[in-house]
Amino acid sequence: MSEEILYTFYDIPGNSVKYLAWSPSTWKTRLALNYKGVPYKTEWVEYPDIAPLAQRIGALHTSVGSDGTLKYTAPILRNVRTGSVVSDSYKIAKALERDHPEPPLFPPGREDVIEAIGRAFSTDVARPGRALLVARVHNQLNDASKPYFRKTREELLGAPLGHFDTPEQWILVRDALAPIAAAADARGESDTFLVGKTETYADVVAAAWLGWVRRMCGAGTQEWAEVEKWHGGRWGRLVRALKKWEYVNDPSQPDEAV
């Protein structure tokens, strides 16, 4: 008898992988769900449909634009028993930790450093990374999402998609990862995991962002091979360690780069 589905997980489909999941933001939630073994189902939502969906089911906005416009984003997680809804990957992770504490992703006493690593990825790493790969993201989206994505991202970047897909931008991404790797090395707890000797939410965040790079480049490319070797091979080891949690809905649907 199959397990009772506890959550509906709203994700954005793409075509860079066999089972559609590509977004670094939503992979943070998917990895956390899989790591904790929480039964869920995925519903796919195209970019223009995220805001209407969020408003319909009661998901809170995740940011406010400079003009006061409320911004709605995926991931969104809905509890099928209670109807409660959480948006924002970090808030979802904390809610899962509260309701499904084992195995833990936020070990006691390490929450601050885990949160700091998450912020570093979401700002320092994401900023050059998104500029680098935004055209590749666009190209693997479904047609229903492409016009919305192009318009919003070109407005954000102030440049055409692909403008920053350069060797110099790869260096900026590598350099943004350097202080995170150096701090983990200085803690001396693991040459694979970022905080402690086993997986935490810091590793989930790192694997989500680095897995996104792998999906956009292709697992067999020279670009990805170089990333795996950065900073003494730390990132390659981390991604391989979390590979077992990279699946869509159930372990029989592993993440596979097309």
Side-chain angles (χ1 to χ4, degrees):
M1 182 174 181
S2 61
E3 293 181 280
E4 178 188 3
I5 298 297
L6 300 182
Y7 296 97
T8 301
F9 171 46
Y10 298 94
D11 198 354
I12 307 163
N15 297 297
S16 61
V17 286
K18 181 177 180 180
Y19 292 107
L20 310 182
W22 64 271
S23 165
S25 297
T26 58
W27 263 110
K28 290 182 237 180
T29 296
R30 192 177 294 281
L31 284 167
L33 286 164
N34 293 346
Y35 178 73
K36 287 181 173 292
V38 179
Y40 67 94
K41 65 177 180 178
T42 303
E43 290 196 8
W44 302 102
V45 188
E46 300 290 348
Y47 268 104
D49 301 325
I50 293 173
L53 166 74
Q55 293 165 340
R56 186 173 72 251
I57 67 175
L60 295 177
H61 63 278
T62 51
S63 64
V64 181
S66 58
D67 61 353
T69 303
L70 302 182
K71 306 289 187 180
Y72 297 90
T73 58
I76 300 171
L77 194 68
R78 182 178 182 273
N79 187 309
V80 299
R81 290 176 176 172
T82 67
S84 63
V85 181
V86 186
S87 49
D88 181 85
S89 56
Y90 183 75
K91 291 179 181 177
I92 291 172
K94 293 296 285 187
L96 289 173
E97 189 79 350
R98 179 194 66 219
D99 296 338
H100 309 278
E102 297 296 332
L105 283 171
F106 295 87
R110 311 310 297 269
E111 292 93 339
D112 289 348
V113 66
I114 291 170
E115 185 176 356
I117 291 170
R119 284 197 305 270
F121 269 96
S122 296
T123 54
D124 301 339
V125 177
R127 193 176 299 114
R130 283 175 169 149
L132 170 70
L133 297 174
V134 66
R136 306 189 200 197
V137 171
H138 170 271
N139 292 342
Q140 59 91 53
L141 291 174
N142 292 329
D143 290 343
S145 285
K146 282 181 175 177
Y148 175 95
F149 186 87
R150 177 181 289 277
K151 180 178 184 296
T152 55
R153 271 45 179 188
E154 288 186 343
E155 288 175 353
L156 181 65
L157 291 171
L161 301 185
H163 179 77
F164 297 101
D165 194 342
T166 64
E168 293 77 15
Q169 196 72 16
W170 278 105
I171 293 171
L172 293 179
V173 175
R174 183 196 64 195
D175 291 351
L177 287 165
I180 304 172
D185 290 343
R187 281 189 286 273
E189 297 172 299
S190 171
D191 68 353
T192 299
F193 303 114
L194 295 175
V195 181
K197 299 182 183 300
T198 189
E199 299 97 333
T200 70
Y201 189 65
D203 304 301
V204 165
V205 172
W209 281 104
L210 292 160
W212 170 65
V213 174
R214 187 188 72 237
R215 295 174 192 106
M216 294 305 103
C217 295
T221 61
Q222 185 60 34
E223 288 172 321
W224 174 243
E226 289 298 319
V227 173
E228 286 190 295
K229 293 186 289 186
W230 285 350
H231 309 121
R234 174 176 282 279
W235 305 117
R237 290 190 295 273
L238 186 152
V239 169
R240 289 190 293 274
L242 270 73
K243 182 68 177 172
K244 58 183 172 290
W245 312 118
E246 286 189 332
Y247 57 83
V248 176
N249 294 338
D250 66 70
S252 69
Q253 298 180 341
D255 172 69
E256 298 175 12
V258 172

